[in-house]
Amino acid sequence: SPEHRYKYYVDTLKEVFGNNPTPDKEFLRFWADHMWKNLFGQSKPYIGTKIGSYNAKFARDWSKPFTKVFGADGAKIVDMDFKTFNSTLAPLHRKVMECSARLPEGKEKLSTYSEWLAEFDGGDYT
């Protein structure tokens, strides 16, 4: 789910900030850009727009709030220190986790999360 990917990206950023008082800005720029494309992009390499309705909804719902505080493609993250990043993220993080807690467990169709995977037929590759 996008919430799990979000948590992975945030945990990695916190680790980078926490382990180094002056983290590598190139890495932060790369990671923020990668995170933005993965979480808020409406299409993905190789699968196009078949990202699933839930991923598309997450991108629509959360791209504006995150862009407002972290800039386009997360560009402001590069200039933040750990304390600023954490305090800026905290209100959004709570809201994302609240939404994640409301997800029905195991009751969604695969196509909700990935239309491409739902349509995949391994027989096409034998």
Side-chain angles (χ1 to χ4, degrees):
S1 76
E3 290 86 0
H4 289 105
R5 292 192 318 271
Y6 157 79
K7 186 173 179 341
Y8 167 72
Y9 284 114
V10 167
D11 288 349
T12 301
L13 284 171
K14 284 183 177 183
E15 187 176 311
V16 168
F17 276 118
N19 289 337
N20 190 346
T22 55
D24 179 7
K25 289 189 182 273
E26 279 304 309
F27 176 79
L28 288 177
R29 190 171 289 112
F30 163 80
W31 199 249
D33 183 58
H34 191 268
M35 178 174 75
W36 242 251
K37 287 177 182 170
N38 190 301
L39 293 175
F40 307 124
Q42 292 290 325
S43 68
K44 306 280 187 263
Y46 310 112
I47 64 171
T49 58
K50 294 183 176 189
I51 63 173
S53 59
Y54 189 78
N55 288 306
K57 182 179 181 332
F58 182 92
R60 280 191 312 275
D61 291 350
W62 292 105
S63 64
K64 284 184 183 177
F66 274 88
T67 299
K68 183 178 180 180
V69 295
F70 291 114
D73 297 328
K76 292 180 183 178
I77 292 173
V78 174
D79 297 320
M80 292 181 173
D81 60 18
F82 183 63
K83 185 178 178 181
T84 306
F85 174 75
N86 246 353
S87 64
T88 304
L89 178 67
L92 289 171
H93 183 73
R94 266 192 307 279
K95 290 177 183 175
V96 170
M97 291 298 104
E98 287 170 9
C99 289
S100 177
R102 292 192 300 254
L103 284 174
E105 292 187 24
K107 297 182 180 171
E108 292 293 329
K109 292 181 179 180
L110 179 59
S111 61
T112 302
Y113 296 99
S114 175
E115 294 159 24
W116 176 86
L117 189 56
E119 294 172 4
F120 179 77
D121 180 1
D124 294 343
Y125 301 95
T126 56

